[in-house]
Amino acid sequence: MKSSNKEINSIYRNLSVANKSLQNQVNTLKQSVANIQALLNNTLQAFILLDKNARVVTYNELAAKTIKNIFGTKISVRTKFQDILTNNAIQKLSPDLKNSFLGKTVRAEHDLTDPKGQEHSFIFSFTPVLDKGRKVESISFSMLDVTEQKKTKAELARSEKLIDSVFHTADIGLAVVNETGKFVKVNDGFSKLLGYKKEELSGKTYLKIIGKGHRKKNGKTQDYFSTGDIVNKAHRVVNKSGNILDVFITNSVFYNPNGNKYLVVTMRDITEERKFKDLMASAEKAMRIGSFEYNLFTRKLDWTDEMYVLYEVSKDFTPSFKSLIKFVYKEDRPKTDAAYSKLIQEMREVSFDFRLITNEGKEKWVNAHIIPILIKKQLVGFRGTLQDINDRKKAEIEIERLSWVARHTNNCVIITDKRGKVEWVNESFERITGYTLKDIIGRIPGEKLQGVDTDIETLKRVASQLKNQQPVNEVLLNYTKDRKPLWVNMDIAPIFINDELQYWIGILTDLTELVKAKEIQKNQESLEQRQRILNAIAGNFPEGIIGVLNKSMKYVFVGGSELKRLGHDVGDWISHELFDKISPQANAYALPFMKKVFKGETAQFDVDVLNNTYSVSAVPIQLEDKHSTRALVVIQN
């Protein structure tokens, strides 16, 4: 019995030890499960363990969260795998699950749509767990959200495509050069600029390609790598055809993630730009125009080479806004201040003339034309030009003085440009000719003033002298606006500035009344001479009478020796009809014949007067028109 008790006690002791060992194993197993669960919860993948019936055995926190967010369902132990999926997900994942139960490890990427309609990308992994008999005991299922990685990859691909597109479509030349100085990559613009095909440049040495004769000036490739500075310079390079081009090159060093260094070269053709710049410089020099630009924020003033000439300063002079004001003539500063205020406050362009005192102390007239620089309607600076107008201004002042004199003279004064076109006339010109400045400005004076009776030979002489830029002094018949004759004495003088013709000044003296007076005097003298000749003829007309009758058939002129024989003076017969003074009967007889004469016919008849027979011859005299207004009669005894 005692032996039996001992055995029982031994069994209890063994059971106690076994129970304790089992408890330790359970605790160890629980700790292992906890550790595994903690490990699963810390992974970036959603993890689910499925048994051989595709029911959930365990899962991590990320799986629960992902299932809820993507499929809108909850996951729990013993839940069937298909019950936590949407129909769309079942269609995509079922074939993969089926293959995993066949002992295959399946890895696939699928896009799924959440309840909000947003698309997500996942990498799904099905890994079978096999027992000792190589049969599938469970399935390890994981989901890795790669939505952002996929977006980033797509964005990177687009960026690379964009960069490559920009690289090859840029107007400027782009090239990548390695540390050995050889081309790694060039764009279309670079190869086109130098006249090569891209494959011709691949692996070629950068400095050899841009021209042996200019390599020294362009430096060595190693120099750029050693400093790492960005270098911007204008260079001259030789293209494949041997033509020399002016280019602007930027060299900058680029480090890739592996630490390799590359030289990134940009090259822009500035050949035409330099030609244009040289042309502009030549034009500025010829026109004596300087240009400048001022930045209100940086307070920096830039100007062209001609500005140094205008201000008579050396090239080492540093221009500033204060220097622009410093050189302004003191009395003209209110004018420049007013223009500056208008530019700043109204943001409008301004143009004005003022004097500056050069660095050499010379007074010089200049014209300023300044325009504001606006960015989004905000004034950020201004740019403008200064033109040397000293000679022109002096000429204008001189002309102004002459104009003052010209305004107060009774003679006509005309000022034309060098082509002879009117720029100004005085009030006397307008009064005498009838043409206003508005009528004649921009016209050649002769186009308005000359007419049909203007002497051609005189005009030819004047044209020749004007062509040879010589002074003119001529008397010429002109016409007023209402086409009345206007005789003038022309004094025309050329005005030269720096040996170059600039203006013509013409002074016209009205000689019309003088010419008329001389013409009247001449006509009077001619008339008196003719009267003397006629009186001499009439007074000595032998044995007869000679006379002129007007339309009223009365004498306006009479003479002849027969008057004395009849005992009458000349005055007795003036204003009387043919024979009215001595024989009314003879007068009546002659009347029909004289009427015919005044109709344009000639008449010849005999008539008895005081026991004398007279032969009468009468002819019509046509004067101002075709009608006979006078009749000549010759009466002979």
Side-chain angles (χ1 to χ4, degrees):
M1 190 70 177
K2 289 180 178 179
S3 175
S4 176
N5 289 333
K6 287 180 178 180
E7 289 177 357
I8 291 170
N9 289 333
S10 176
I11 291 169
Y12 273 118
R13 283 196 297 272
N14 290 334
L15 285 172
S16 179
V17 170
N19 186 46
K20 197 170 187 178
S21 175
L22 180 61
Q23 186 64 42
N24 288 335
Q25 288 178 10
V26 169
N27 290 336
T28 301
L29 181 60
K30 285 182 178 180
Q31 186 63 43
S32 296
V33 170
N35 290 338
I36 291 170
Q37 191 66 41
L39 179 65
L40 291 175
N41 287 335
N42 287 323
T43 184
L44 296 177
Q45 297 186 64
F47 174 79
I48 301 174
L49 182 64
L50 303 174
D51 61 16
K52 58 185 177 182
N53 295 316
R55 293 180 179 274
V56 176
V57 177
T58 187
Y59 55 88
N60 65 356
E61 293 176 0
L62 183 59
K65 186 177 180 181
T66 302
I67 293 299
K68 185 177 180 181
N69 290 338
I70 302 303
F71 304 123
T73 58
K74 291 184 178 180
I75 185 172
S76 60
V77 175
R78 304 295 297 170
T79 305
K80 293 190 71 174
F81 184 64
Q82 286 86 347
D83 292 342
I84 63 175
L85 303 179
T86 60
N87 292 333
N88 180 259
I90 291 172
Q91 291 177 1
K92 292 183 177 180
L93 297 179
S94 290
D96 299 334
L97 180 65
K98 186 176 180 181
N99 285 328
S100 67
F101 276 113
L102 294 176
K104 300 177 182 179
T105 298
V106 180
R107 185 179 176 86
E109 182 176 337
H110 296 291
D111 294 330
L112 300 176
T113 304
D114 66 17
K116 295 180 180 179
Q118 294 181 346
E119 196 170 85
H120 300 264
S121 296
F122 286 91
I123 294 176
F124 297 95
S125 180
F126 294 88
T127 304
V129 180
L130 306 179
D131 59 14
K132 293 181 179 179
R134 305 297 294 172
K135 290 184 179 180
V136 176
E137 187 177 53
S138 59
I139 299 294
S140 173
F141 170 71
S142 65
M143 299 171 60
L144 179 62
D145 191 344
V146 294
T147 304
E148 292 304 318
Q149 293 92 320
K150 191 173 181 180
K151 286 181 180 179
T152 302
K153 186 178 180 181
E155 190 63 34
L156 182 61
R158 283 194 295 270
S159 298
E160 288 179 351
K161 187 175 181 181
L162 177 62
I163 291 170
D164 194 60
S165 175
V166 171
F167 185 81
H168 286 293
T169 58
D171 290 336
I172 60 174
L174 298 172
V176 180
V177 179
N178 61 23
E179 287 188 83
T180 65
K182 293 185 177 180
F183 289 108
V184 175
K185 189 175 183 180
V186 297
N187 75 339
D188 296 336
F190 195 93
S191 57
K192 183 180 179 181
L193 182 62
L194 295 180
Y196 292 91
K197 294 180 180 178
K198 284 191 286 188
E199 52 268 23
E200 290 181 288
L201 294 174
S202 180
K204 297 294 190 300
T205 303
Y206 166 47
L207 292 181
K208 283 185 178 180
I209 288 296
I210 66 173
K212 294 180 180 180
H214 301 277
R215 255 183 285 160
K216 185 177 180 181
K217 193 174 182 180
N218 293 335
K220 298 178 181 179
T221 312
Q222 289 78 5
D223 296 339
Y224 300 117
F225 284 110
S226 61
T227 62
D229 296 332
I230 296 176
V231 181
N232 298 298
K233 284 186 178 180
H235 296 278
R236 281 195 163 181
V237 301
V238 181
N239 65 10
K240 185 178 180 181
S241 302
N243 296 321
I244 298 175
L245 304 175
D246 288 299
V247 296
F248 188 83
I249 297 178
T250 298
N251 294 303
S252 58
V253 178
F254 167 76
Y255 296 84
N256 74 355
N258 298 326
N260 297 324
K261 289 191 288 187
Y262 295 92
L263 190 66
V264 178
V265 180
T266 65
M267 185 179 293
R268 179 167 57 90
D269 187 356
I270 60 170
T271 305
E272 293 303 319
E273 185 179 315
R274 175 161 290 192
K275 285 181 181 177
F276 180 74
K277 187 176 180 181
D278 292 342
L279 180 63
M280 286 298 294
S282 299
E284 283 191 353
K285 187 175 181 180
M287 299 294 292
R288 292 184 288 181
I289 297 176
S291 304
F292 62 89
E293 182 170 308
Y294 181 67
N295 188 308
L296 286 170
F297 296 103
T298 64
R299 298 181 183 277
K300 184 181 179 184
L301 178 69
D302 295 308
W303 68 16
T304 59
D305 289 347
E306 191 60 25
M307 292 290 287
Y308 294 101
V309 178
L310 285 173
Y311 280 83
E312 295 185 333
V313 294
S314 60
K315 288 292 183 69
D316 58 0
F317 175 80
T318 302
S320 66
F321 185 71
K322 288 184 178 180
S323 67
L324 285 178
I325 301 172
K326 174 186 173 184
F327 289 102
V328 175
Y329 188 69
K330 188 176 180 180
E331 293 181 8
D332 288 349
R333 286 185 185 176
K335 184 193 297 185
T336 58
D337 291 345
Y340 181 71
S341 297
K342 183 177 181 180
L343 176 75
I344 298 298
Q345 294 172 11
E346 299 180 22
M347 293 186 287
R348 292 169 56 189
E349 65 180 280
V350 293
S351 183
F352 57 98
D353 298 341
F354 70 96
R355 288 165 291 181
L356 58 85
I357 303 298
T358 70
N359 191 51
E360 300 294 328
K362 298 176 184 177
E363 182 183 312
K364 184 181 291 185
W365 276 98
V366 294
N367 171 260
H369 190 90
I370 311 171
I371 60 174
I373 302 173
L374 303 175
I375 297 179
K376 294 182 179 179
K377 297 184 179 180
Q378 182 181 1
L379 184 69
V380 298
F382 52 83
R383 64 172 61 95
T385 60
L386 283 185
Q387 182 176 14
D388 183 346
I389 60 169
N390 206 47
D391 293 336
R392 190 186 80 192
K393 200 68 178 180
K394 286 181 179 178
E396 287 176 357
I397 292 171
E398 188 65 26
I399 287 175
E400 182 63 27
R401 290 171 182 166
L402 290 172
S403 297
W404 187 89
V405 175
R407 288 189 189 101
H408 296 82
T409 182
N410 289 325
N411 293 329
C412 302
V413 179
I414 307 173
I415 297 177
T416 75
D417 61 17
K418 59 185 176 182
R419 297 172 298 173
K421 294 188 177 182
V422 173
E423 291 188 345
W424 182 86
V425 296
N426 69 347
E427 293 178 4
S428 294
F429 178 92
E430 294 181 335
R431 175 173 50 80
I432 293 172
T433 68
Y435 290 107
T436 64
L437 177 60
K438 187 177 180 181
D439 293 330
I440 203 166
I441 192 167
R443 306 289 293 271
I444 294 173
E447 293 176 1
K448 292 287 188 179
L449 299 176
Q450 292 160 14
V452 64
D453 290 328
T454 303
D455 187 63
I456 300 298
E457 293 303 318
T458 305
L459 290 179
K460 288 180 180 179
R461 248 188 344 267
V462 171
S464 176
Q465 290 168 308
L466 294 178
K467 184 178 179 181
N468 295 320
Q469 299 181 359
Q470 296 174 345
V472 174
N473 182 265
E474 293 282 355
V475 175
L476 191 68
L477 174 61
N478 283 338
Y479 290 88
T480 63
K481 188 174 183 179
D482 55 6
R483 307 319 291 167
K484 291 180 180 178
L486 177 66
W487 284 93
V488 295
N489 181 77
M490 296 190 308
D491 281 303
I492 304 174
I495 305 298
F496 295 93
I497 298 177
N498 294 333
D499 296 328
E500 184 177 347
L501 178 65
Q502 296 292 330
Y503 305 98
W504 290 92
I505 295 181
I507 299 175
L508 310 183
T509 304
D510 185 1
L511 302 178
T512 306
E513 294 303 320
L514 180 61
V515 170
K516 282 182 179 179
K518 287 186 176 181
E519 189 68 27
I520 290 171
Q521 183 181 358
K522 184 179 177 181
N523 290 340
Q524 185 67 32
E525 290 175 353
S526 178
L527 183 61
E528 289 175 357
Q529 180 68 16
R530 292 176 185 178
Q531 188 68 38
R532 283 194 294 269
I533 294 171
L534 189 58
N535 287 339
I537 294 172
N540 296 288
F541 189 76
E543 296 181 358
I545 301 170
I546 186 170
V548 176
L549 304 179
N550 62 18
K551 202 167 185 179
S552 298
M553 298 185 201
K554 293 179 180 180
Y555 284 106
V556 293
F557 173 83
V558 66
S561 59
E562 190 68 16
L563 290 176
K564 292 179 181 181
R565 201 181 71 81
L566 290 172
H568 291 275
D569 293 326
V570 170
D572 296 335
W573 286 56
I574 296 297
S575 299
H576 288 276
E577 294 182 4
L578 192 62
F579 296 109
D580 181 43
K581 191 68 178 171
I582 57 174
S583 177
Q585 297 83 0
N587 197 55
Y589 176 78
L591 184 60
F593 294 101
M594 295 307 299
K595 285 183 177 180
K596 290 183 179 180
V597 172
F598 279 99
K599 290 181 180 179
E601 300 178 14
T602 61
Q604 195 167 14
F605 58 92
D606 294 335
V607 62
D608 293 328
V609 179
L610 301 178
N611 302 316
N612 290 290
T613 301
Y614 291 90
S615 174
V616 180
S617 296
V619 295
I621 300 174
Q622 292 182 350
L623 296 176
E624 298 175 355
D625 52 33
K626 294 181 180 180
H627 300 290
S628 300
T629 58
R630 298 287 190 274
L632 175 66
V633 293
V634 177
I635 303 171
Q636 288 183 312
N637 189 336

